[in-house]
Amino acid sequence: MTEAKPLGLITLISDHLSHYISTPKLLVVYGTSWCKACEKIKPQLKELGNDINVVIVDTEKHLKSNRFYPSKIKSYPTLAYYENGYYIDDIKGLTNIKQEINELN
């Protein structure tokens, strides 16, 4: 088994979250193209991309990728943290995402 290389910030173009889900530490941002809050957190996500793998999923375009979230997505953005393919928890606050991820570890 090869070690996963840092991905940085990835915006899915095709519906293949499965290609990334098994990375050691992954933040998945479930959002939509019209979500203003999704756009507002992008600077934080870019900074996180140096330390953790971040994948942005457009929930309206990437229906298969939505299946990795353990329940129905109720609001945007929904930030879900995974380790080695397993869902760990949601990131609740949007003001200090990095700190919340650190608290999960």
Side-chain angles (χ1 to χ4, degrees), residues 6-9 25-29 41-55 79 81 91 93-94 96-102:
L7 300 173
L9 177 64
K25 295 181 179 187
L26 177 68
L27 179 67
V28 179
V29 180
I41 64 167
K42 281 193 177 178
Q44 276 192 84
L45 298 176
K46 287 177 184 174
E47 288 178 25
L48 281 174
N50 296 325
D51 302 321
I52 185 173
N53 301 313
V54 180
V55 176
L79 282 65
Y81 179 68
I91 303 301
L94 300 178
N96 197 339
I97 299 167
K98 186 173 188 171
Q99 179 181 340
E100 285 201 45
I101 291 171
N102 288 337

Side-chain angles (χ1 to χ4, degrees), residues 1-2 8 12 22 27-28 32 40 48 52 57-58 61 63-64 73 78 84 87 90-91 94 100-101:
M1 181 179 200
T2 60
L12 282 189
S22 64
L27 179 67
V28 179
T32 63
K40 190 175 182 179
L48 281 174
I52 185 173
V57 175
D58 186 325
K61 292 180 183 176
L63 301 178
K64 285 192 305 186
I73 297 169
T78 293
N84 301 307
Y87 169 80
D90 282 1
I91 303 301
L94 300 178
E100 285 201 45
I101 291 171

